[in-house]
Amino acid sequence: MTLKEKIMGSQIWKSIFRHDFEDTPSNRGKVIRSNVFLHLHPLRIPEHAMKIRFTWCMGGITFFAFLVECITGILLMFYYHPVIEYAYMDMKYLQFDVPFGQILRNVHRWGAHLMVFTVMLHMLRVFLTGSYKKPREFNWVIGVVLLTLTLLMSFTGYLLPWDQLAYWAITVGTNMGAATPFFGVEGPFPIVDKFNDVRFVLLGGTTVGANALLRFYVAHVIAIPAIVFVGCAIHFWRIRKDGGISRPL
Amino acid sequence: MAEETAAALKAKARADKKKKNPHVWPELPFKELMCAVVVMLVLIVWALWLDAPLGEIATPSRTENPAKAPWYFIGLQEILVYYDPWYSGVILPSIIMIGLMAIPYLDTNPKGVGEYNFSARKFAMVNFLFGYFMWMFAIVVGQFMRGPSWLFFWPWQVWDDSGHHDEVTLFNIDNKTSIIALAIYALVGFVLPKLLKMKWAKNLDWTRYIITISLLLLMYLVPVKVVLRQIFHVRYLIATPWINF
Ligand code: HEM
């Protein structure tokens, strides 16, 4: 018995992998079925759906970018304090002191841009292939929610470095909250004052300050990603429940 | 005999279907892995090549000029030039999101699923792509062609105040004229497609027709306002002490 046979015949190995790797139709099915991640796929799909030319792999790349953001984001969290006394210093610390800190921050930043960009392209692809039509209507709706959340995830992250760019971009952005009809203090027909309007809810104050930083932090690192994760689960599950990837009639 | 051929046909159909629906393993996971590897490489090279920006520390007393939103929101910021914040920053984005979600329920044309088929879905394609590229266009203008005080600069021009920005005086069209013009705009939008017996219009029931046309009229009002402002120097169509449009 070779070492390979010994390992692959052991009780431990067999408890993990329930198939061998000979290329037979039955094994091709088992590989997919017996792995929780691969099992997101059906066993067989139409030929055209496997082509990069069809999907551009854009949904997959968006999800991959999301995973990269989760991992690099968790690493960044070890070095970042969401308080105004530290936030900016932590950026400098990451850039000049933490080993690989600069590149960690760079990957997280560019990965976020990439995700926004690919989700836009994914929506374009889904539209161009008419994949939102019956019976996939609702998955498109979930997609639009995911698009919105992706933008918000990126936007809330933008404040965290606490530099001038961040501060004024978020000031401009959240001022829109104050312009909301009825519920914004500077909008038409206000029925609120500046201490209870939409902007106040977004910022935890009337201007961008310590409370806003904390709110954006919590939204950025847990609240929105958690919803995106669940949203993706529903999105993927529905692709299969809606009859798999779209195909010509 | 007949039974046998039927069984054989069935078996053949099943084999055909299998051939047209190949196993995903190993081809698809392999392609996905390759996509992931390429994306990771791109990200690493990008990260080695360019550092994430970091400005000076936030100072509430020192305004940044221009204060630009991140690029994916710059399209909306660009529209702030043409519409007041209550519309460009709140109502319009809400309509866009709701409108996007409504697309599958408004487009009843069953053709062109699972294939890139422009000619079977001209109406849907033209209008969606118009909106999509308007978004991209607004992003490019806002990101690369706006300087201090949101003044227009070509990408190769330096940001200075040396007077090549002649102040234009903007004026408001009086409300009565505007309301009549908007009414005509809406009337044409609602009536013309039916009058011309456009195929897509014939295939829509009244509810869908009215919602579709309303959304499209709102979408095309954005470039209309751009033209009105840039070429005719119109600031507001409707100006009241409470709300401007
Ligand atoms: C976080 C964002 C998103 C992720 C991670 C994601 C992921 C995916 C993946 C992996 C697929 C499989 C096929 C492919 O890769 O193209 C898919 C399909 C699909 N997505 Fe998304 N998506 C997202 C956002 C969106 C958006 C914004 C829309 C539309 C507005 C959308 C609508 C759809 C639809 C309708 C399908 C089925 C396509 C078909 O059957 O051909 N998704 N998505």
Side-chain angles (χ1 to χ4, degrees), chain A residues 32-33 35-45 240, chain B residues 24-25 28-30 32:
Chain A
I32 299 294
R33 236 183 303 137
N35 177 303
V36 67
F37 302 109
L38 292 178
H39 179 253
L40 286 170
H41 307 100
L43 300 190
R44 293 167 172 280
I45 60 169
R240 296 195 51 187
Chain B
V24 299
W25 182 265
L28 187 58
F30 179 74
E32 289 166 350

Side-chain angles (χ1 to χ4, degrees), chain A residues 54-64 66 115 119-120 122-127 129-133 136-148 150 153 228 232 235-236 239 244-247, chain B residues 100 114:
Chain A
F54 183 71
T55 62
W56 313 345
C57 205
M58 270 310 147
I61 291 177
T62 307
F63 189 62
F64 181 70
F66 177 63
M115 182 176 173
V119 75
M120 288 172 170
H122 172 58
M123 178 170 78
L124 182 64
R125 183 299 274 181
V126 171
F127 185 88
T129 57
S131 304
Y132 57 84
K133 299 188 184 196
R136 297 182 182 80
E137 302 100 317
F138 193 63
N139 221 13
W140 168 275
V141 175
I142 295 169
V144 177
V145 173
L146 284 173
L147 169 75
T148 315
T150 304
M153 201 153 54
V228 168
C232 282
H235 194 57
F236 299 161
I239 295 174
I245 202 106
S246 56
R247 67 205 74 196
Chain B
L100 280 173

Side-chain angles (χ1 to χ4, degrees), chain B residues 7 27 39 42-43 56 58 61 72 80 99 136 158 161 165 182 200:
Chain B
E27 187 180 342
V39 170
V42 167
L43 269 181
E56 279 167 35
S61 56
Y72 38 86
L80 272 172
M136 298 301 134
V158 266
D161 300 323
H165 287 281
L182 285 173
W200 57 267

Side-chain angles (χ1 to χ4, degrees), chain B residues 36-57:
Chain B
V37 169
V38 169
V39 170
M40 204 60 239
L41 279 176
V42 167
L43 269 181
I44 289 172
V45 171
W46 190 358
L48 286 170
W49 168 57
L50 261 185
D51 284 345
L54 185 68
E56 279 167 35
I57 191 166

Side-chain angles (χ1 to χ4, degrees), chain B residues 69-85:
Chain B
W71 65 270
Y72 38 86
F73 282 141
I74 255 182
L76 293 172
Q77 201 178 0
E78 177 61 25
I79 291 175
L80 272 172
V81 174
Y82 305 100
Y83 288 104
D84 279 5

